[in-house]
Amino acid sequence: MRPPVSCRTFRNPTIERAIRDVSSAIRDPDWRQLFANIFPNTLDTTVAWHNASAPFTFLVTGDITAQWIRDSANQVLPYLPYTSVDQALAKLVLGLINMQAEELNDYPFGNAFQPPPRSGLAPEPNGIAVNLAVSPPFNNRTVFEAKFELDSFASFFQVTTAYWRSTGDYEFIYLPAWSAAAGKVLDAIRALQMPTYAGKQLNPSPVTYKRYTDQAQETQFGGGRGNPVKYTGMARSLFRPSDDATIFPFLVPANAFLCVELENLSDMLNTLRVFPELRDRAAKLAAQIRAGVLQFGTATHPKHGKVFAYEVDGYGSVLLTDDANGPSLLSLPYLGFVNATDPTYRNTRKMVLSLDDNPWYFEGPYIHGIGGPHTGYLKVWPMAVAMRGMTSDNSDEVKECLDQLKATTSGLGLIHESVNVNDGADYTRSWFAWGNALTSQFVIDAITRFPGII
């Protein structure tokens, strides 16, 4: 259920009207209530600090009081269509863009950040960000976690260009923090394209992450550098969007996402006729990454034929799987990298939604879908079910996804991070704003494409 009005962290009449409008198109009373809970969840519970005059916005991810670049961008995506008609919502999203720019200026390789000192919020100790050897070094009073995830860069550009498209506002890009952050991100991408070796010598690495731990997914190979790579045009990522370490550093769906958002960035700057150097660099990087994904990011599966790989190294090593967290292979049409009818994607979709072919796909009596190492065996992430529905044009499959999602809340009326396929009471994270945001997007998408489906 929603918190009482007096306890909500951001109240907005436009979103309340949107809840009523969408709910009026839903016949199923359980889905009406569930949508009314999950759609405003970010506003109700995660706006830890908002300065409307600056503006700046700090969004926690839910039950972890830190702001992830990726999560926070996804948390506001459902509200972007309303920013063109609601100034308060527009300032909320603009505040997030300004906050992310400030964070990336402070430490470009961070994935999650502490609240700024001027917010008056105390930094939250991170119990797993200990026993680390990280380069470049970071300040744990401003950086919550320093696991470099390539999709953080894409998410920053995604929320930037999506906000501009919705509102027409672009004055923020003239702020020193935004243009400096964009430049630092492009510099980092270029450095992350470098191969591990220069002939017989070792190239310097722009970022390393080593943790002394008994959990393999919490540290990186090669003293924190990651496994060796050859040049492909793609950029390396030390960690996945699940916060688990990559095995092969070229994470294909993250590169596909980054390619799309670099193209969007270049398009925005070209349309506005500003920052030609940033525009050209973004376009060049996008072209290199797209070529790299298409040339090196695919493999031939013995059953499904040509598919997109999840991770590669440029030497010929490939990992054929998918993870629930986006960007994922399943989400490639949602990200805009390919159409859902693309033959390689269709083959990939069959592979990653197969109990026989994806080691992280699970089935149980009331839910089946993709999970991942982050939450372990037999746990499906509901947001992967939502993504399956959003990338399907089959009404029966979409309805099946909606039915499964409704059955996963354990009576709490919100979307969990993951659920055990055999036991609905065994779940992780009862308060997970990204999952609520993505599922609400799916509901709106489903009733728009298939009126009366719920």
Side-chain angles (χ1 to χ4, degrees):
M1 299 296 290
R2 298 181 69 181
V5 174
S6 61
C7 297
R8 296 172 189 170
T9 56
F10 189 90
R11 298 190 290 275
N12 183 266
T14 297
I15 294 304
E16 297 301 324
R17 285 193 295 271
I19 293 170
R20 293 192 294 270
D21 290 345
V22 174
S23 296
S24 69
I26 299 174
R27 297 174 299 174
D28 183 332
D30 291 333
W31 259 118
R32 278 202 303 270
Q33 183 61 64
L34 183 55
F35 178 79
N37 295 347
I38 64 176
F39 182 58
N41 183 252
T42 287
L43 303 184
D44 284 353
T45 66
T46 72
V47 185
W49 177 65
H50 177 55
N51 181 340
S53 60
F56 283 96
T57 305
F58 187 84
L59 298 179
V60 299
T61 185
D63 52 10
I64 304 174
T65 54
Q67 177 171 289
W68 265 254
I69 297 288
R70 170 196 56 256
D71 287 42
S72 60
N74 279 279
Q75 284 167 240
V76 300
L77 288 184
Y79 310 131
L80 278 166
Y82 307 96
T83 55
S84 61
V85 296
D86 190 298
Q87 188 64 24
L89 272 179
K91 284 191 173 183
L92 183 81
V93 177
L94 178 56
L96 177 64
I97 296 169
N98 290 338
M99 190 79 262
Q100 289 188 353
E102 189 173 284
E103 291 164 344
L104 290 169
N105 268 304
D106 175 52
Y107 191 75
F109 298 107
N111 61 320
F113 291 83
Q114 302 278 13
R118 64 186 182 278
S119 69
L121 302 173
E124 179 75 13
N126 185 353
I128 65 170
V130 294
N131 300 319
L132 300 176
V134 177
S135 177
F138 69 97
N139 181 353
N140 62 14
R141 293 191 63 81
T142 58
V143 178
F144 181 80
E145 192 167 61
K147 292 177 173 177
F148 171 62
E149 298 163 359
L150 189 66
D151 59 280
S152 296
F153 292 166
S155 296
F156 171 58
F157 290 142
Q158 178 189 40
V159 72
T160 289
T161 58
Y163 169 81
W164 163 68
R165 284 198 182 95
S166 178
T167 65
D169 175 26
Y170 58 90
E171 294 299 325
F172 66 95
I173 69 174
Y174 294 112
L175 296 175
W178 186 89
S179 56
K184 285 184 177 181
V185 167
L186 296 183
D187 288 343
I189 295 168
R190 180 68 188 93
L192 290 159
Q193 291 178 307
M194 285 196 307
T196 302
Y197 306 109
K200 298 180 180 180
Q201 303 299 317
L202 193 64
N203 270 325
S205 179
V207 59
T208 63
Y209 186 101
K210 180 171 66 174
R211 180 184 170 204
Y212 299 92
T213 175
D214 61 359
Q215 300 178 63
Q217 73 271 20
E218 288 294 328
T219 189
Q220 256 301 351
F221 302 91
R225 297 174 61 105
N227 275 318
V229 297
K230 292 180 75 173
Y231 178 82
T232 64
M234 288 184 281
R236 290 183 287 129
S237 187
L238 295 186
F239 288 85
R240 300 170 178 174
S242 60
D243 302 333
D244 297 326
T246 53
I247 296 174
F248 302 122
F250 292 135
L251 180 57
V252 173
N255 273 276
F257 182 27
L258 181 59
C259 166
V260 170
E261 296 310 329
L262 287 169
E263 290 168 346
N264 288 337
L265 174 66
S266 178
D267 176 66
M268 180 185 80
L269 298 179
N270 184 60
T271 301
L272 297 175
R273 300 179 183 274
V274 295
F275 299 131
E277 194 238 352
L278 288 178
R279 176 202 64 202
D280 293 345
R281 289 173 65 197
K284 183 177 180 180
L285 288 169
Q288 291 169 343
I289 292 171
R290 183 173 287 276
V293 169
L294 297 178
Q295 181 176 353
F296 297 98
T298 62
T300 302
H301 190 278
K303 183 192 301 183
H304 301 290
K306 185 178 180 181
V307 297
F308 288 105
Y310 188 67
E311 292 172 357
V312 299
D313 62 2
Y315 284 96
S317 301
V318 297
L319 182 62
L320 297 180
T321 186
D322 202 13
D323 191 277
N325 286 260
S328 61
L329 294 178
L330 185 63
S331 71
L332 290 177
Y334 169 84
L335 300 173
F337 186 75
V338 293
N339 293 323
T341 56
D342 177 85
T344 305
Y345 173 75
R346 300 297 295 179
N347 294 343
T348 306
R349 183 182 181 90
K350 292 175 184 175
M351 177 186 73
V352 303
L353 295 176
S354 166
L355 191 65
D356 291 331
D357 301 315
N358 181 1
W360 294 104
Y361 180 89
F362 309 115
E363 292 184 357
Y366 73 100
I367 187 172
H368 53 270
I370 301 170
H374 194 70
T375 51
Y377 304 120
L378 301 181
K379 286 191 172 174
V380 167
W381 287 51
M383 68 181 190
V385 177
M387 185 57 69
R388 178 187 169 199
M390 277 197 286
T391 53
S392 173
D393 58 5
N394 183 295
S395 60
D396 291 337
E397 184 177 20
V398 172
K399 181 62 164 60
E400 180 185 43
C401 292
L402 289 163
D403 290 344
Q404 289 184 47
L405 287 167
K406 188 174 68 171
T408 67
T409 67
S410 301
L412 298 179
L414 293 169
I415 300 299
H416 303 312
E417 178 189 55
S418 72
V419 294
N420 189 313
V421 295
N422 297 312
D423 181 3
D426 179 14
Y427 59 83
T428 59
R429 300 188 66 184
S430 59
W431 180 19
F432 182 44
W434 179 13
N436 289 313
L438 186 66
T439 303
S440 65
Q441 282 183 281
F442 172 40
V443 171
I444 294 172
D445 170 74
I447 66 173
T448 301
R449 292 191 292 141
F450 304 104
I453 194 167
I454 50 176

